[in-house]
Amino acid sequence: MTNHMVPEARMASIRREFGEHGGVNMSVEASSTFTVLDPNTMPALFDGSKTPQEGCYLYGRSFNPTVYHLSQQLAALEGAEAAYCSASGMAAISATLLNICNSGDHIVAANTIYGGSYALTQEFLPAKANIHTTMVDITNLEAVEAAITHKTRVIYAETVSNPTLRVTNISGLANIAKAHNIKLVIDNTFSPLSINPLALGADVVVHSLTKFINGASDIVAGAICADADFITSLMDLHTGSLMILGPVMDPETASKISLRLPHLGLRIKEHARRTQIFAERLLALDLTVSYPGLANHPDHALIKQQSCLDYGFGGLLTLNLGSAERAERLMECLQNKHGFGYMAVSLGYFDSLMSAPRSSTSSEMSDEDLSTCGIENGLIRLSIGYTGTLEQRWQQMEQGLYDVGIINALTPHEKILSVCVK
Ligand code: PLP
């Protein structure tokens, strides 16, 4: 396996794990503890001289074979030497930051990140662990460098920010991180397959597997991808944040997610294809739409430079309707009258999901920070699904915009088809 391969080719090249009885799918290892034939093996498992790489397992809170295999698939996805899975995306983020930082250390983070990550860095870590974070505009590399102190251990950002969809210059941040001998940790939840942060110089990639990678909104899970030493250190018996805090993944969950990875590429392409067309059509209606795949997006050139273009520019767009009241009326009409999608947080689901981040997924942020990053009252985040036909969904969207008075005429069908159908 080589890192020059595209992620899907890497994933298809790793050793196949068959089921216990020759099943085409791997078996679920349901044991929380593992037996040894020779009593001398037990101390070797505890001192780390026998490892999962050699097929030796100790206890379910440490490595589990089913979770380990999914982790190898995710390592291949990200082009990492190793990976391990966690109980949620937040478990992956908090375990990573706590593994790198000690009391008194400092983090420089993007000022627009998922609300839970904002609360972790702004409230939880300072109060519980004396780890402090300075938030900066991550698109301003000078501001990032200026925020670094002798206590800084991590630069933390999302590949594409939630919910503002600004794109992080990963190679630029990696150069700064290397110059200061600190780790660049990237949350790649919004762009699996399309952007490879490790290939661009990041040290650790974290994922919420709850989103696109899972795809069915029925599982909460996370993953950490990095070099083998870092992943092993997460399971250190004395200081490993996964081993000691214990937010590991259940093997049943690992098996389910593993079965969805073979169609991740198809799903990501269809999410992105439809989102691109929706964004172009919303723009053609003169609405305030933001999507990195649009030529007018401030980071369009950067995302083109950093992405594998086969997978498009992501499955999320935002629409700013100017007031919370207009945003709520549109979402309510789209869900309850037209069946376009659901008012629900989360993303990467097969159906479309709509939320107003200022009062939901970013509500942990201070009013000042919300306003600085442009998370306004009228902002709707749309995760575009792929159920139904594209034209059926577009007609529902346009009819909803018309019903609540955001547009005052419906586009004739021939005109829609002439603009932007690809
Ligand atoms: N990272 C991002 C970008 C997210 O959007 C979320 C949740 O919405 C998380 C991390 C947290 O993931 P989880 O809900 O799996 O803990």
mmCIF file of all heavy atoms in Angstrom, residues 338-378:
data_model
loop_
_atom_site.group_PDB
_atom_site.id
_atom_site.type_symbol
_atom_site.label_atom_id
_atom_site.label_comp_id
_atom_site.label_asym_id
_atom_site.label_seq_id
_atom_site.Cartn_x
_atom_site.Cartn_y
_atom_site.Cartn_z
ATOM 1 N N HIS A 338 -43.657 20.092 2.385
ATOM 2 C CA HIS A 338 -43.140 19.506 1.136
ATOM 3 C C HIS A 338 -42.359 18.204 1.318
ATOM 4 O O HIS A 338 -42.022 17.558 0.338
ATOM 5 C CB HIS A 338 -42.273 20.537 0.401
ATOM 6 C CG HIS A 338 -43.060 21.741 -0.010
ATOM 7 N ND1 HIS A 338 -44.086 21.672 -0.911
ATOM 8 C CD2 HIS A 338 -43.004 23.030 0.408
ATOM 9 C CE1 HIS A 338 -44.631 22.872 -1.061
ATOM 10 N NE2 HIS A 338 -43.994 23.716 -0.266
ATOM 11 N N GLY A 339 -42.041 17.848 2.556
ATOM 12 C CA GLY A 339 -41.305 16.594 2.772
ATOM 13 C C GLY A 339 -39.914 16.604 2.145
ATOM 14 O O GLY A 339 -39.365 15.578 1.756
ATOM 15 N N PHE A 340 -39.299 17.827 2.085
ATOM 16 C CA PHE A 340 -37.975 17.959 1.464
ATOM 17 C C PHE A 340 -36.882 17.308 2.308
ATOM 18 O O PHE A 340 -35.937 16.717 1.787
ATOM 19 C CB PHE A 340 -37.677 19.460 1.277
ATOM 20 C CG PHE A 340 -36.246 19.761 0.954
ATOM 21 C CD1 PHE A 340 -35.781 19.627 -0.347
ATOM 22 C CD2 PHE A 340 -35.357 20.172 1.953
ATOM 23 C CE1 PHE A 340 -34.444 19.891 -0.642
ATOM 24 C CE2 PHE A 340 -34.030 20.435 1.656
ATOM 25 C CZ PHE A 340 -33.578 20.300 0.359
ATOM 26 N N GLY A 341 -36.996 17.433 3.619
ATOM 27 C CA GLY A 341 -35.956 16.913 4.511
ATOM 28 C C GLY A 341 -36.406 17.141 5.949
ATOM 29 O O GLY A 341 -37.591 17.378 6.193
ATOM 30 N N TYR A 342 -35.464 17.081 6.864
ATOM 31 C CA TYR A 342 -35.825 17.141 8.281
ATOM 32 C C TYR A 342 -35.119 18.268 9.005
ATOM 33 O O TYR A 342 -33.944 18.532 8.752
ATOM 34 C CB TYR A 342 -35.480 15.809 8.964
ATOM 35 C CG TYR A 342 -36.237 14.684 8.323
ATOM 36 C CD1 TYR A 342 -35.617 13.846 7.398
ATOM 37 C CD2 TYR A 342 -37.600 14.515 8.574
ATOM 38 C CE1 TYR A 342 -36.336 12.849 6.756
ATOM 39 C CE2 TYR A 342 -38.318 13.517 7.934
ATOM 40 C CZ TYR A 342 -37.690 12.692 7.029
ATOM 41 O OH TYR A 342 -38.407 11.733 6.396
ATOM 42 N N MET A 343 -35.858 18.902 9.942
ATOM 43 C CA MET A 343 -35.226 19.863 10.848
ATOM 44 C C MET A 343 -34.520 19.028 11.912
ATOM 45 O O MET A 343 -35.180 18.490 12.818
ATOM 46 C CB MET A 343 -36.287 20.752 11.508
ATOM 47 C CG MET A 343 -36.797 21.843 10.618
ATOM 48 S SD MET A 343 -37.946 22.920 11.510
ATOM 49 C CE MET A 343 -39.458 21.985 11.383
ATOM 50 N N ALA A 344 -33.246 18.863 11.771
ATOM 51 C CA ALA A 344 -32.479 18.052 12.723
ATOM 52 C C ALA A 344 -31.022 18.472 12.604
ATOM 53 O O ALA A 344 -30.572 18.876 11.529
ATOM 54 C CB ALA A 344 -32.611 16.567 12.381
ATOM 55 N N VAL A 345 -30.306 18.366 13.728
ATOM 56 C CA VAL A 345 -28.866 18.611 13.647
ATOM 57 C C VAL A 345 -28.217 17.392 12.995
ATOM 58 O O VAL A 345 -28.897 16.446 12.635
ATOM 59 C CB VAL A 345 -28.259 18.914 15.044
ATOM 60 C CG1 VAL A 345 -28.837 20.195 15.606
ATOM 61 C CG2 VAL A 345 -28.479 17.742 15.990
ATOM 62 N N SER A 346 -26.904 17.431 12.865
ATOM 63 C CA SER A 346 -26.102 16.391 12.223
ATOM 64 C C SER A 346 -26.118 16.560 10.700
ATOM 65 O O SER A 346 -26.763 17.483 10.166
ATOM 66 C CB SER A 346 -26.530 14.977 12.621
ATOM 67 O OG SER A 346 -25.412 14.111 12.478
ATOM 68 N N LEU A 347 -25.390 15.707 10.018
ATOM 69 C CA LEU A 347 -25.128 15.873 8.588
ATOM 70 C C LEU A 347 -24.620 14.560 8.021
ATOM 71 O O LEU A 347 -24.315 13.621 8.762
ATOM 72 C CB LEU A 347 -24.074 16.982 8.393
ATOM 73 C CG LEU A 347 -22.825 16.870 9.276
ATOM 74 C CD1 LEU A 347 -21.587 16.636 8.448
ATOM 75 C CD2 LEU A 347 -22.656 18.137 10.093
ATOM 76 N N GLY A 348 -24.594 14.502 6.690
ATOM 77 C CA GLY A 348 -24.068 13.298 6.044
ATOM 78 C C GLY A 348 -25.079 12.174 6.000
ATOM 79 O O GLY A 348 -24.725 11.022 5.750
ATOM 80 N N TYR A 349 -26.354 12.496 6.233
ATOM 81 C CA TYR A 349 -27.443 11.505 6.223
ATOM 82 C C TYR A 349 -27.918 11.343 4.779
ATOM 83 O O TYR A 349 -27.770 12.247 3.966
ATOM 84 C CB TYR A 349 -28.554 12.062 7.101
ATOM 85 C CG TYR A 349 -29.738 11.169 7.358
ATOM 86 C CD1 TYR A 349 -29.600 9.814 7.619
ATOM 87 C CD2 TYR A 349 -31.021 11.720 7.385
ATOM 88 C CE1 TYR A 349 -30.709 9.027 7.888
ATOM 89 C CE2 TYR A 349 -32.137 10.933 7.664
ATOM 90 C CZ TYR A 349 -31.973 9.588 7.910
ATOM 91 O OH TYR A 349 -33.071 8.810 8.175
ATOM 92 N N PHE A 350 -28.610 10.205 4.489
ATOM 93 C CA PHE A 350 -29.089 10.020 3.106
ATOM 94 C C PHE A 350 -30.220 10.989 2.759
ATOM 95 O O PHE A 350 -30.415 11.329 1.603
ATOM 96 C CB PHE A 350 -29.473 8.566 2.814
ATOM 97 C CG PHE A 350 -30.304 7.842 3.855
ATOM 98 C CD1 PHE A 350 -31.631 8.167 4.049
ATOM 99 C CD2 PHE A 350 -29.735 6.817 4.607
ATOM 100 C CE1 PHE A 350 -32.394 7.484 4.977
ATOM 101 C CE2 PHE A 350 -30.500 6.125 5.554
ATOM 102 C CZ PHE A 350 -31.845 6.459 5.744
ATOM 103 N N ASP A 351 -30.989 11.447 3.760
ATOM 104 C CA ASP A 351 -31.983 12.502 3.517
ATOM 105 C C ASP A 351 -31.363 13.854 3.873
ATOM 106 O O ASP A 351 -30.365 13.913 4.598
ATOM 107 C CB ASP A 351 -33.225 12.266 4.386
ATOM 108 C CG ASP A 351 -34.183 11.264 3.762
ATOM 109 O OD1 ASP A 351 -34.388 11.323 2.532
ATOM 110 O OD2 ASP A 351 -34.728 10.420 4.502
ATOM 111 N N SER A 352 -32.013 14.922 3.422
ATOM 112 C CA SER A 352 -31.471 16.258 3.735
ATOM 113 C C SER A 352 -31.828 16.655 5.165
ATOM 114 O O SER A 352 -32.920 16.359 5.646
ATOM 115 C CB SER A 352 -32.046 17.291 2.761
ATOM 116 O OG SER A 352 -31.559 17.017 1.471
ATOM 117 N N LEU A 353 -30.882 17.298 5.832
ATOM 118 C CA LEU A 353 -31.080 17.779 7.198
ATOM 119 C C LEU A 353 -30.863 19.292 7.226
ATOM 120 O O LEU A 353 -29.957 19.804 6.571
ATOM 121 C CB LEU A 353 -30.098 17.098 8.160
ATOM 122 C CG LEU A 353 -30.202 15.571 8.288
ATOM 123 C CD1 LEU A 353 -29.125 15.044 9.238
ATOM 124 C CD2 LEU A 353 -31.588 15.152 8.783
ATOM 125 N N MET A 354 -31.702 19.984 8.015
ATOM 126 C CA MET A 354 -31.637 21.448 8.063
ATOM 127 C C MET A 354 -31.578 21.904 9.516
ATOM 128 O O MET A 354 -32.344 21.397 10.343
ATOM 129 C CB MET A 354 -32.916 22.063 7.469
ATOM 130 C CG MET A 354 -33.330 21.506 6.136
ATOM 131 S SD MET A 354 -34.991 22.078 5.688
ATOM 132 C CE MET A 354 -36.025 20.828 6.417
ATOM 133 N N SER A 355 -30.697 22.856 9.798
ATOM 134 C CA SER A 355 -30.682 23.431 11.145
ATOM 135 C C SER A 355 -30.204 24.868 11.076
ATOM 136 O O SER A 355 -29.552 25.275 10.115
ATOM 137 C CB SER A 355 -29.798 22.612 12.087
ATOM 138 O OG SER A 355 -28.502 22.508 11.563
ATOM 139 N N ALA A 356 -30.530 25.615 12.117
ATOM 140 C CA ALA A 356 -30.071 27.007 12.242
ATOM 141 C C ALA A 356 -28.970 27.008 13.292
ATOM 142 O O ALA A 356 -29.260 26.938 14.489
ATOM 143 C CB ALA A 356 -31.236 27.901 12.649
ATOM 144 N N PRO A 357 -27.697 27.020 12.878
ATOM 145 C CA PRO A 357 -26.590 26.797 13.827
ATOM 146 C C PRO A 357 -26.548 27.772 15.011
ATOM 147 O O PRO A 357 -26.185 27.379 16.108
ATOM 148 C CB PRO A 357 -25.331 26.969 12.970
ATOM 149 C CG PRO A 357 -25.792 26.713 11.575
ATOM 150 C CD PRO A 357 -27.224 27.156 11.510
ATOM 151 N N ARG A 358 -26.962 29.031 14.789
ATOM 152 C CA ARG A 358 -26.826 29.997 15.888
ATOM 153 C C ARG A 358 -27.619 29.558 17.124
ATOM 154 O O ARG A 358 -27.198 29.785 18.257
ATOM 155 C CB ARG A 358 -27.266 31.398 15.438
ATOM 156 C CG ARG A 358 -26.924 32.448 16.478
ATOM 157 C CD ARG A 358 -26.868 33.837 15.906
ATOM 158 N NE ARG A 358 -26.626 34.776 16.982
ATOM 159 C CZ ARG A 358 -25.741 35.753 16.953
ATOM 160 N NH1 ARG A 358 -24.995 35.947 15.899
ATOM 161 N NH2 ARG A 358 -25.589 36.554 17.977
ATOM 162 N N SER A 359 -28.753 28.911 16.893
ATOM 163 C CA SER A 359 -29.557 28.491 18.049
ATOM 164 C C SER A 359 -29.451 26.984 18.299
ATOM 165 O O SER A 359 -30.193 26.435 19.089
ATOM 166 C CB SER A 359 -31.019 28.874 17.816
ATOM 167 O OG SER A 359 -31.452 28.309 16.598
ATOM 168 N N SER A 360 -28.526 26.295 17.584
ATOM 169 C CA SER A 360 -28.418 24.843 17.808
ATOM 170 C C SER A 360 -26.964 24.413 17.932
ATOM 171 O O SER A 360 -26.360 24.575 18.997
ATOM 172 C CB SER A 360 -29.142 24.077 16.694
ATOM 173 O OG SER A 360 -28.582 24.335 15.422
ATOM 174 N N THR A 361 -26.363 23.957 16.827
ATOM 175 C CA THR A 361 -25.036 23.322 16.927
ATOM 176 C C THR A 361 -23.897 24.285 17.247
ATOM 177 O O THR A 361 -22.789 23.842 17.541
ATOM 178 C CB THR A 361 -24.703 22.584 15.612
ATOM 179 O OG1 THR A 361 -24.981 23.456 14.526
ATOM 180 C CG2 THR A 361 -25.513 21.311 15.471
ATOM 181 N N SER A 362 -24.168 25.602 17.164
ATOM 182 C CA SER A 362 -23.129 26.559 17.551
ATOM 183 C C SER A 362 -23.578 27.394 18.743
ATOM 184 O O SER A 362 -22.957 28.406 19.063
ATOM 185 C CB SER A 362 -22.788 27.492 16.373
ATOM 186 O OG SER A 362 -22.280 26.744 15.295
ATOM 187 N N SER A 363 -24.671 26.968 19.423
ATOM 188 C CA SER A 363 -25.222 27.801 20.504
ATOM 189 C C SER A 363 -24.289 27.880 21.714
ATOM 190 O O SER A 363 -24.456 28.743 22.569
ATOM 191 C CB SER A 363 -26.589 27.267 20.937
ATOM 192 O OG SER A 363 -26.451 25.942 21.394
ATOM 193 N N GLU A 364 -23.261 27.009 21.759
ATOM 194 C CA GLU A 364 -22.281 27.083 22.854
ATOM 195 C C GLU A 364 -21.395 28.327 22.718
ATOM 196 O O GLU A 364 -20.752 28.757 23.669
ATOM 197 C CB GLU A 364 -21.356 25.852 22.849
ATOM 198 C CG GLU A 364 -22.035 24.516 23.139
ATOM 199 C CD GLU A 364 -22.569 23.830 21.875
ATOM 200 O OE1 GLU A 364 -22.739 24.516 20.836
ATOM 201 O OE2 GLU A 364 -22.838 22.617 21.946
ATOM 202 N N MET A 365 -21.336 28.905 21.508
ATOM 203 C CA MET A 365 -20.413 30.029 21.270
ATOM 204 C C MET A 365 -20.970 31.322 21.859
ATOM 205 O O MET A 365 -22.181 31.511 21.952
ATOM 206 C CB MET A 365 -20.188 30.198 19.761
ATOM 207 C CG MET A 365 -19.403 29.051 19.158
ATOM 208 S SD MET A 365 -19.279 29.126 17.357
ATOM 209 C CE MET A 365 -18.235 30.548 17.107
ATOM 210 N N SER A 366 -20.045 32.237 22.237
ATOM 211 C CA SER A 366 -20.492 33.529 22.760
ATOM 212 C C SER A 366 -21.096 34.337 21.613
ATOM 213 O O SER A 366 -20.750 34.128 20.444
ATOM 214 C CB SER A 366 -19.309 34.290 23.367
ATOM 215 O OG SER A 366 -18.412 34.650 22.334
ATOM 216 N N ASP A 367 -21.984 35.284 21.950
ATOM 217 C CA ASP A 367 -22.613 36.112 20.914
ATOM 218 C C ASP A 367 -21.549 36.825 20.092
ATOM 219 O O ASP A 367 -21.664 36.953 18.878
ATOM 220 C CB ASP A 367 -23.553 37.146 21.554
ATOM 221 C CG ASP A 367 -24.860 36.484 21.962
ATOM 222 O OD1 ASP A 367 -25.100 35.332 21.556
ATOM 223 O OD2 ASP A 367 -25.630 37.125 22.722
ATOM 224 N N GLU A 368 -20.490 37.265 20.781
ATOM 225 C CA GLU A 368 -19.433 38.004 20.089
ATOM 226 C C GLU A 368 -18.735 37.089 19.065
ATOM 227 O O GLU A 368 -18.551 37.461 17.903
ATOM 228 C CB GLU A 368 -18.434 38.503 21.128
ATOM 229 C CG GLU A 368 -17.496 39.540 20.588
ATOM 230 C CD GLU A 368 -16.364 39.804 21.577
ATOM 231 O OE1 GLU A 368 -16.557 39.606 22.793
ATOM 232 O OE2 GLU A 368 -15.286 40.182 21.078
ATOM 233 N N ASP A 369 -18.395 35.856 19.500
ATOM 234 C CA ASP A 369 -17.714 34.926 18.581
ATOM 235 C C ASP A 369 -18.630 34.524 17.422
ATOM 236 O O ASP A 369 -18.182 34.398 16.282
ATOM 237 C CB ASP A 369 -17.215 33.681 19.326
ATOM 238 C CG ASP A 369 -15.985 33.980 20.182
ATOM 239 O OD1 ASP A 369 -15.401 35.076 20.006
ATOM 240 O OD2 ASP A 369 -15.617 33.148 21.023
ATOM 241 N N LEU A 370 -19.929 34.339 17.727
ATOM 242 C CA LEU A 370 -20.877 33.985 16.661
ATOM 243 C C LEU A 370 -20.891 35.089 15.604
ATOM 244 O O LEU A 370 -20.826 34.815 14.404
ATOM 245 C CB LEU A 370 -22.292 33.816 17.239
ATOM 246 C CG LEU A 370 -22.554 32.509 18.010
ATOM 247 C CD1 LEU A 370 -23.812 32.630 18.869
ATOM 248 C CD2 LEU A 370 -22.700 31.329 17.063
ATOM 249 N N SER A 371 -20.936 36.327 16.066
ATOM 250 C CA SER A 371 -21.022 37.438 15.112
ATOM 251 C C SER A 371 -19.707 37.596 14.351
ATOM 252 O O SER A 371 -19.713 37.828 13.136
ATOM 253 C CB SER A 371 -21.390 38.733 15.830
ATOM 254 O OG SER A 371 -22.632 38.517 16.455
ATOM 255 N N THR A 372 -18.563 37.447 15.053
ATOM 256 C CA THR A 372 -17.270 37.578 14.367
ATOM 257 C C THR A 372 -17.158 36.585 13.213
ATOM 258 O O THR A 372 -16.634 36.901 12.157
ATOM 259 C CB THR A 372 -16.095 37.309 15.351
ATOM 260 O OG1 THR A 372 -16.318 38.055 16.510
ATOM 261 C CG2 THR A 372 -14.743 37.596 14.761
ATOM 262 N N CYS A 373 -17.644 35.357 13.424
ATOM 263 C CA CYS A 373 -17.490 34.371 12.336
ATOM 264 C C CYS A 373 -18.671 34.357 11.377
ATOM 265 O O CYS A 373 -18.716 33.482 10.522
ATOM 266 C CB CYS A 373 -17.316 32.951 12.819
ATOM 267 S SG CYS A 373 -16.810 32.627 14.374
ATOM 268 N N GLY A 374 -19.621 35.230 11.535
ATOM 269 C CA GLY A 374 -20.712 35.307 10.560
ATOM 270 C C GLY A 374 -21.785 34.241 10.752
ATOM 271 O O GLY A 374 -22.471 33.878 9.800
ATOM 272 N N ILE A 375 -21.910 33.724 11.988
ATOM 273 C CA ILE A 375 -22.988 32.750 12.232
ATOM 274 C C ILE A 375 -24.204 33.577 12.677
ATOM 275 O O ILE A 375 -24.423 33.817 13.862
ATOM 276 C CB ILE A 375 -22.565 31.694 13.273
ATOM 277 C CG1 ILE A 375 -21.255 31.030 12.822
ATOM 278 C CG2 ILE A 375 -23.675 30.634 13.450
ATOM 279 C CD1 ILE A 375 -20.663 30.061 13.812
ATOM 280 N N GLU A 376 -24.961 34.021 11.686
ATOM 281 C CA GLU A 376 -26.039 34.969 11.963
ATOM 282 C C GLU A 376 -27.358 34.243 12.211
ATOM 283 O O GLU A 376 -27.494 33.069 11.894
ATOM 284 C CB GLU A 376 -26.153 35.956 10.799
ATOM 285 C CG GLU A 376 -24.948 36.880 10.758
ATOM 286 C CD GLU A 376 -24.843 37.662 9.467
ATOM 287 O OE1 GLU A 376 -25.847 37.746 8.748
ATOM 288 O OE2 GLU A 376 -23.746 38.180 9.211
ATOM 289 N N ASN A 377 -28.328 35.005 12.753
ATOM 290 C CA ASN A 377 -29.637 34.416 13.095
ATOM 291 C C ASN A 377 -30.332 33.746 11.921
ATOM 292 O O ASN A 377 -31.011 32.744 12.076
ATOM 293 C CB ASN A 377 -30.561 35.507 13.643
ATOM 294 C CG ASN A 377 -30.209 35.817 15.077
ATOM 295 O OD1 ASN A 377 -29.930 34.920 15.850
ATOM 296 N ND2 ASN A 377 -30.213 37.101 15.427
ATOM 297 N N GLY A 378 -30.161 34.328 10.736
ATOM 298 C CA GLY A 378 -30.896 33.820 9.570
ATOM 299 C C GLY A 378 -30.169 32.700 8.828
ATOM 300 O O GLY A 378 -30.610 32.280 7.748
#
